[in-house]
Amino acid sequence: MRSFTPATAVMVLSATHAVQAILPSGLQGPDQSGFINATVHTSNGGFSVCVSGLIPVQASATNYKINLDVPKNQTDTTELWLKLSTPGSTFARDAVTGTNNVSGTFNMAATLCVPADNLAPKEVHLATHGSPYNAQYWDFAPDYSYADIAAMHGHATFFYDRLGIGKSDRPDGTQIVQSPLGVEILHNLAVMLKSGAIGNNRFTKLVGVGHSFGSLFTTVAATKYPEAFDALVLTGFTSLDPATTTVTASTTAFFAAFNAAIASQNEPLSYDGVDNSFMVVDNPIGLQHAFLRTPFDPAILNLAAATKGSLSWGEPLSFTTSFTPLNFTGPVAVINGDADFALCNGNCTYPLDWTTATLDYLFPKAAKQGAYVAPRSGHGLNLQYAAAPAFEWLQQFLERSW
Ligand SMILES: *[C@@H]1O[C@H](CO)[C@@H](O)[C@H](O)[C@H]1NC(C)=O
Ligand SMILES: *[C@@H]1O[C@H](CO)[C@@H](O)[C@H](O)[C@H]1NC(C)=O
Ligand SMILES: *[C@@H]1O[C@H](CO)[C@@H](O)[C@H](O)[C@H]1NC(C)=O
Ligand SMILES: *[C@@H]1O[C@H](CO)[C@@H](O)[C@H](O)[C@H]1NC(C)=O
Ligand SMILES: *[C@@H]1O[C@H](CO)[C@@H](O)[C@H](O)[C@H]1NC(C)=O
């Protein structure tokens, strides 16, 4: 790891991105190619200089035709989550009535961060966030920044608001904002990064990074387009072999803890006029229950509550969570909190090591496997004290694996 002094940054509060550091005068930002309405700033810890803006991405996909009326009110919304969680319920299956080809050009809100002392690195980490977060997850706060740690190791990080979330385009939340289209957008961003279309830098190594739902996106993209990724990093992610284990993650309790509230009612300032298919976690208690274990910094929980992203019905209804082994041959790391409530029923080392079992099942052909279990952490790993050591371990794993 190289060390250098982070740029002294000026912190300002903005309505949508809670804390953004403005580039101090004299410091050069990255090339802005590919971005519309770009702004330059430093990462939270000051180890990177970043450009943020909109990137138009052309994408086509075969989405699902979902037969679901947008819920009229919160009562109907909560009832739908109960149906989704009920054993034997055919709700999810019945809702999918066919396929639907979709295509368009979508403005994706994105950030490219490069080391402050090297504006054109060769390795980029393309990071996809989970629900209910947004791109900010990857550069959340000082000491809670994947981008800073990647920069300390000389690498770029590219992260974006998934379709329908944050400042990215927000098309129909049931028919358009679905996993198949999201996976195509992710793949197209990977192609753009390698071709030099973003930041005018032809990255030669691209690491696909995900958290939670973003790890599902990354895994599906790597199944369909293995050549797009040189390595994979899946955080908040488990998938066990159904043939050899009867243990399953109970997502029911996680959904309940989530307490999905209609976004426009819960956050009227951010979601005024947005249709009822878009939801947010109701309150900080739900964020703690679903994502954190003590100890954590209460200011970080407050920041998560103030910047929470949305999810919409098209996402859970268009996703299959069962995978078959991938033929991916690059290095793969899986990182989980030891007490992840969403994926391991609150204990990722009992009754088996879920992280290692996931690697063994899904990535038998990986050049190198790395399993890391972060201490005293829930599903929202980057919001826990264990985040920085986990990301430091990851960088060293990749450096040993190439
Ligand atoms: C870029 O910013 C200008 C000025 O604020 C605005 O009019 C325009 O709509 C923005 N472009 C996009 C694609 O949002
Ligand atoms: C919610 O909407 C349903 C119609 O979908 C209606 O039957 C019900 O009375 C509404 N509930 C409330 C509390 O408004
Ligand atoms: C949808 O796209 C698929 C794949 O490109 C194609 O095979 C299929 O015919 C298309 N369906 C319709 C209804 O256009
Ligand atoms: C991996 O390769 C095998 C053999 O070619 C193939 O049967 C299998 O479908 C592939 N798996 C995936 C997930 O693509
Ligand atoms: C998980 O279970 C093991 C075995 O009972 C126990 O030692 C460990 O403390 C548990 N972890 C958590 C996070 O509770």
Side-chain angles (χ1 to χ4, degrees), residues 357-376:
T358 297
L359 278 162
D360 289 344
Y361 172 48
L362 284 190
F363 298 101
K365 298 183 180 167
K368 191 139 190 210
Q369 297 182 340
Y372 186 92
V373 181
R376 299 205 63 82

Side-chain angles (χ1 to χ4, degrees), residues 1 3 31 82 110 162 166 185 222 228 242 251 254 262 281 286-287 336 357:
M1 168 164 76
S3 65
D31 187 287
L82 282 165
R162 292 197 340 247
I185 290 172
T251 46
F254 175 69
I262 292 173
V281 174
L287 280 171
N336 285 308

Side-chain angles (χ1 to χ4, degrees), residues 16-32:
T16 43
H17 280 78
V19 178
Q20 202 168 61
I22 301 289
L23 204 62
S25 63
L27 200 58
Q28 206 192 336
D31 187 287
Q32 300 177 10

Side-chain angles (χ1 to χ4, degrees), residues 223 324-327:
T223 306
T324 53
L326 276 70
N327 293 317

Side-chain angles (χ1 to χ4, degrees), residues 66-291:
I66 293 180
N67 182 19
L68 178 73
D69 292 333
V70 172
K72 300 257 183 321
N73 51 40
Q74 185 60 47
T75 308
D76 286 2
T77 297
T78 303
E79 179 68 16
L80 285 185
W81 282 98
L82 282 165
K83 286 182 175 170
L84 193 63
S85 307
T86 301
S89 163
T90 58
F91 161 64
R93 200 173 65 212
D94 294 347
V96 176
T97 57
T99 59
N100 192 13
N101 286 353
V102 295
S103 98
T105 299
F106 304 96
N107 281 330
M108 304 300 292
T111 298
L112 173 67
C113 291
V114 299
D117 64 348
N118 175 12
L119 302 185
K122 288 290 124 205
E123 178 176 322
V124 65
H125 293 225
L126 165 52
T128 305
H129 67 84
S131 299
Y133 299 95
N134 55 36
Q136 191 186 341
Y137 180 83
W138 302 107
D139 181 30
F140 196 68
D143 297 326
Y144 298 85
S145 173
Y146 187 102
D148 274 319
I149 292 173
M152 286 183 222
H153 287 264
H155 310 311
T157 310
F158 178 91
F159 42 101
Y160 64 102
D161 290 334
R162 292 197 340 247
L163 188 64
I165 296 170
K167 293 181 187 165
S168 285
D169 277 358
R170 192 186 283 134
D172 184 294
T174 308
Q175 307 301 340
I176 308 292
V177 182
Q178 289 187 13
S179 307
L181 182 59
V183 165
E184 296 304 321
I185 290 172
L186 165 58
H187 173 242
N188 289 354
L189 287 168
V191 170
M192 290 167 82
L193 284 164
K194 278 208 168 175
S195 74
I198 298 173
N200 192 27
N201 179 9
R202 285 173 187 270
F203 292 101
T204 53
K205 273 195 187 122
L206 187 142
V207 181
V209 183
H211 170 240
S212 188
F213 219 74
S215 291
L216 295 176
F217 270 55
T218 304
T219 303
V220 176
T223 306
K224 194 169 176 191
Y225 304 107
E227 71 291 346
F229 302 94
D230 298 291
L232 299 176
V233 174
L234 307 171
T235 73
F237 181 72
T238 63
S239 178
L240 305 182
D241 183 355
T244 58
T245 176
T246 54
V247 183
T248 52
S250 159
T251 46
T252 305
F254 175 69
F255 287 163
F258 214 94
N259 245 342
I262 292 173
S264 63
Q265 295 175 10
N266 185 273
E267 292 277 335
L269 289 179
S270 308
Y271 295 96
D272 185 34
V274 173
D275 78 63
N276 285 358
S277 64
F278 288 88
M279 296 160 280
V280 293
V281 174
D282 183 45
N283 63 44
I285 300 171
L287 280 171
Q288 180 189 341
H289 198 156
F291 295 98

